[in-house]
Amino acid sequence: MNTLENYVEAMFNDFLKTKENLDVKANILASMEDKYDDLIANGKTEQLALGIVISQFGDISELKEAFGISSTDDVIEYLSTERLSDYLSFARKQACAIALGVCMIILSVIGPVLIGEEQEILGVTTFLVTVALSVGVFIIYGFRSNDCKGIKAGKYHLLESDKTIIQIEHTRFKPKYQFAIATGVIICILSIVVFIILGENGSESLGFVLFFGLIAIAVYLFIVFGMLKTMYNLLLRDEETIQELQHELLKNEDVWLDIWDNHAVSNNDFSLDELGTMG
Amino acid sequence: MEVEDLISSDVIRGYNDTIILYMLKQGDSYGYEISKRIEEQTQGNYIIKETTLYSTFARLQKNEYITSYSGTQTNGRKRTYYKITPKGIMYYQEKCTEWKLTKDVINRFIEEEK
């Protein structure tokens, strides 16, 4: 069946991704797949069935004529449902991975403290390995995020049905976001309190470990929810977010900066508008 | 393949509208079902190409002879259903009259075998 998909994809290669064109493409593919299934059910070999289906595709210029693909100005490009769900799952994974990476960097200082000064080499090694792992995560997700540039630049619109789904998800996300940010802030405050109390009671290294542990949890919440918020804003075409991201994409083609800027965007997000209202 | 050569798409071009409108007069339907019925009804003498089918739908829709709606999707495949409009029915009847006349005219130049 992949053959048919690739064939149709290739035929529609120079069609604009308008809703109308995507609909026709999907319908034609469905027709061809139905026909193929019928032929197979009637005892044709896969090879023969494919041949028949493709020979009955016709002439693509006929469609180009009917759909007048020549005028390309101010045509809205739509994001196909498939690419949308790819992007969604990537953006979610990316948010968790970046957040975990940052957490690991924060937690990397705990290793040497726990292991103690007697085994300095082991301590330093754990530190370096943790940092290296997180850098690896940043690089992998930085590269992969390049695939989504078009989406990040706000080039695409969502199909109506997809938009409704995303809007519903976004409405459900909002209270979770506020809860997560509030929790993060409370954890931050708590970490300082714990650090001071344990420090005064003489268990400084436990205080140190708990302090960084709690900070890491808070930072994880901030980054994951900050990035998810950016994702929803982008998909729902929040003008400010799109401009910010476009600016970011123009400013740096560099993967490294890209990653760090992602942080900057999500961090600014919560620190400015949320901490203010949280008061 | 020999089947497709029986009727060249050039000859039938002006009548794809008529064929599809006739099919939709029998009830709402979607792409593959229509093309399958055309094949059955002509005993395999005319198999409509996908591009012909869908550019005809587009043209008919532009002229408001048909409307479309998305139906339930079986096995995740897209199913856009088409429905004939009153305007479409009138156009179909005009095309029928036109064909009878055309057939009459052309027949005068066709030699019967034997």
Side-chain angles (χ1 to χ4, degrees), chain A:
Chain A
M1 290 322 245
N2 242 342
T3 318
L4 288 179
E5 241 175 275
N6 293 340
Y7 180 80
V8 173
E9 196 65 48
M11 284 296 153
F12 277 82
N13 205 11
D14 49 356
F15 277 64
L16 286 170
K17 306 253 176 313
T18 61
K19 185 183 179 337
E20 202 186 18
N21 289 351
L22 288 173
D23 274 352
V24 176
K25 188 169 103 177
N27 271 305
I28 288 195
L29 178 62
S31 272
M32 291 172 85
E33 285 175 341
D34 284 346
K35 199 181 277 179
Y36 176 86
D37 286 350
D38 271 5
L39 288 166
I40 293 289
N42 287 330
K44 297 275 192 298
T45 64
E46 285 180 20
Q47 220 51 19
L48 186 59
L50 268 182
I52 293 175
V53 171
I54 286 178
S55 75
Q56 291 172 2
F57 175 81
D59 181 359
I60 194 72
S61 61
E62 206 174 1
L63 277 175
K64 284 183 184 168
E65 234 169 81
F67 285 86
I69 65 152
S70 45
S71 66
T72 55
D73 300 338
D74 63 66
V75 175
I76 298 170
E77 289 206 45
Y78 284 87
L79 193 62
S80 68
T81 307
E82 205 174 89
R83 276 197 69 196
L84 171 67
S85 69
D86 281 352
Y87 173 69
L88 281 178
S89 74
F90 169 72
R92 286 185 180 126
K93 270 189 223 146
Q94 188 195 29
C96 291
I98 298 289
L100 272 178
V102 176
C103 285
M104 284 201 310
I105 287 191
I106 294 171
L107 293 174
S108 64
V109 298
I110 292 179
V113 174
L114 278 183
I115 290 164
E117 276 169 23
E118 305 86 56
Q119 289 176 297
E120 206 177 323
I121 297 173
L122 184 63
V124 172
T125 313
T126 39
F127 172 74
L128 290 178
V129 167
T130 330
V131 173
L133 280 177
S134 24
V135 169
V137 170
F138 293 152
I139 292 180
I140 291 169
Y141 277 88
F143 273 125
R144 287 183 50 197
S145 102
N146 274 0
D147 298 344
C148 310
K149 270 204 175 136
I151 302 175
K152 281 197 176 163
K155 207 168 130 196
Y156 298 101
H157 287 243
L158 296 184
L159 302 173
E160 270 315 307
S161 53
D162 291 337
K163 197 173 170 183
T164 317
I165 296 170
I166 297 293
Q167 271 164 344
I168 294 170
E169 278 186 26
H170 185 224
T171 321
R172 286 194 193 131
F173 170 76
K174 271 189 208 157
K176 282 188 208 152
Y177 171 78
Q178 277 158 0
F179 180 74
I181 299 299
T183 314
V185 173
I186 293 168
I187 292 176
C188 279
I189 298 167
L190 205 66
S191 70
I192 298 168
V193 175
V194 167
F195 185 63
I196 294 171
I197 292 176
L198 287 175
E200 277 177 2
N201 292 336
S203 37
E204 251 168 31
S205 67
L206 178 64
F208 185 78
V209 169
L210 279 178
F211 175 72
F212 279 101
L214 288 171
I215 290 287
I217 295 173
V219 167
Y220 181 83
L221 288 174
F222 290 152
I223 295 179
V224 168
F225 282 86
M227 285 181 81
L228 287 179
K229 190 182 175 214
T230 311
M231 176 190 88
Y232 283 117
N233 284 348
L234 177 65
L235 290 175
L236 296 171
R237 305 193 65 71
D238 174 68
E239 276 306 318
E240 220 170 281
T241 310
I242 287 174
Q243 272 172 16
E244 223 170 300
L245 286 169
Q246 269 172 353
H247 183 66
E248 183 193 318
L249 287 171
L250 283 177
K251 200 173 63 195
N252 55 74
E253 292 298 314
D254 191 287
V255 171
W256 263 105
L257 290 174
D258 206 334
I259 296 165
W260 288 111
D261 263 23
N262 267 338
H263 288 184
V265 170
S266 37
N267 283 328
N268 280 343
D269 244 331
F270 73 75
S271 57
L272 293 181
D273 50 38
E274 286 306 319
L275 289 188
T277 53
M278 212 71 63

